[in-house]
Amino acid sequence: MKSILTAIEEGRLIELPEKEKEKALRYLCSILEAVPDLAHNGDLYETMLKREAQGITALGFTVACPHIRASGEGEMMCAIGWSAEGLDYGAADGQKIRLVIMYYIPDNQKNTYLKEISLLVQALRKMDGIPGLAACADINAVRNTLLDFLTGAADLSFSQSRVKMIKLGVKSAEEAQCPSIEPALAVAAVSVLLDSGGRLTVLSQDQKLVELLEGGKDLAEKIIKESPFEFAGYKLIFRSASIFKPDRVLREYLALKLP
């Protein structure tokens, strides 16, 4: 299950800010779309939805693996979302989904994907799910729990030293009293309320990000002209928009901190 380990290592394990299945899946698609040099020109979310319509991708044990098939060649990768409350996913066993592993699968990686998903299912059955996942209180606990699960799984093709290094990184941060590990890809949800006069209000749980965006120049012009766009050290990826009469638009973005 090398791609799961890589996703953890590269910061594509996140706590889902959405409680609805469709919004959570769109969010994970946005994470994948932000990966540099992704060899896919279509709409990942629409491609994923078409596959999901053919059958629910819940594996059981509160885990689901929606996936995106892509033409051409490239690397298989995944983004992993954790929901503390669980998502109503329509799983056959009736359980809410706590962990969503969304795969991106180019044509040349079909066999690799089939092998990995088979190993994942075998490991879930062998361990009766992911031990400790239901008790996780934060994303750091989820990270450690997943690393323990990977270590105990039958697939030993990945380097055990990589697991140890990631664990050491988590432990060092905890000992330094850091609230969380800074991922390779910092992600925040942002809403921008914009009127026809160019006046705007930025809404986000990240207050520092709000201050950066509202304090910058020409944000309204960027929003109107470009998507995605870079601003104040972030890349903003458009997700959806809602129109409010008489002249206001609420636009939803995924903000990715640039290196």
Side-chain angles (χ1 to χ4, degrees):
M1 291 171 277
K2 185 177 179 181
S3 61
I4 297 176
L5 180 63
T6 300
I8 296 172
E9 191 175 36
E10 295 181 354
R12 293 194 299 277
L13 166 64
I14 54 101
E15 180 174 359
L16 291 167
E18 309 288 358
K19 297 180 181 180
E20 297 178 18
K21 173 185 174 181
E22 290 74 15
K23 290 182 178 180
L25 294 179
R26 184 184 289 276
Y27 193 86
L28 285 174
C29 283
S30 299
I31 298 292
L32 288 173
E33 286 174 341
V35 176
D37 302 322
L38 190 76
H40 185 70
N41 296 321
D43 187 320
L44 296 189
Y45 180 65
E46 291 300 325
T47 302
M48 182 277 306
L49 279 186
K50 289 178 181 178
R51 172 59 189 85
E52 194 71 16
Q54 297 173 18
I56 301 298
T57 51
L59 301 181
F61 306 101
T62 74
V63 177
C65 287
H67 52 275
I68 301 158
R69 300 280 187 176
S71 59
E73 298 186 355
E75 293 297 322
M76 184 178 77
M77 63 185 68
C78 63
I80 308 169
W82 168 68
S83 173
E85 298 180 14
L87 303 174
D88 289 321
Y89 206 88
D93 59 9
Q95 294 190 69
K96 289 188 175 183
I97 295 299
R98 293 182 179 274
L99 201 71
V100 182
I101 306 170
M102 180 177 287
Y103 280 92
Y104 170 82
I105 314 160
D107 282 337
N108 65 314
Q109 297 292 334
K110 289 179 180 178
N111 290 336
T112 303
Y113 166 73
L114 292 174
K115 178 181 178 181
E116 178 154 325
I117 201 72
S118 175
L119 289 168
L120 175 59
V121 170
Q122 289 177 31
L124 288 170
R125 290 173 177 171
K126 174 184 176 183
M127 301 184 196
D128 196 24
I130 300 176
L133 182 62
C136 289
D138 56 39
I139 198 67
N140 275 342
V142 175
R143 184 183 290 108
N144 279 322
T145 297
L146 273 178
L147 290 172
D148 288 340
F149 172 73
L150 291 172
T151 302
D155 176 23
L156 300 178
S157 61
F158 55 80
S159 171
Q160 294 294 322
S161 63
R162 289 175 65 193
V163 175
K164 291 179 182 178
M165 289 301 294
I166 297 171
K167 284 186 174 182
L168 284 172
V170 174
K171 183 178 179 181
S172 297
E174 290 172 345
E175 289 175 347
Q177 297 183 338
C178 295
S180 63
I181 300 297
E182 284 294 327
L185 194 64
V187 183
V190 177
S191 301
V192 180
L193 184 64
L194 181 69
D195 67 19
S196 59
R199 293 179 292 272
L200 57 80
T201 301
V202 180
L203 305 171
S204 176
Q205 295 295 333
D206 188 334
Q207 188 57 38
K208 186 175 292 185
L209 176 58
V210 171
E211 294 171 1
L212 283 171
L213 295 178
E214 289 190 337
K217 294 182 178 180
D218 304 321
L219 177 57
E221 184 177 348
K222 286 271 190 181
I223 288 173
I224 293 169
K225 291 184 177 180
E226 302 177 37
S227 182
F229 63 89
E230 295 182 6
F231 194 87
Y234 284 80
K235 182 176 182 179
L236 276 78
I237 299 173
F238 176 73
R239 299 170 63 200
S240 64
S242 301
I243 298 174
F244 296 88
K245 294 181 179 180
D247 65 347
R248 294 185 177 185
V249 178
L250 182 68
R251 296 173 66 89
E252 306 284 350
Y253 290 91
L254 191 68
L256 308 174
K257 189 171 180 59
L258 297 171

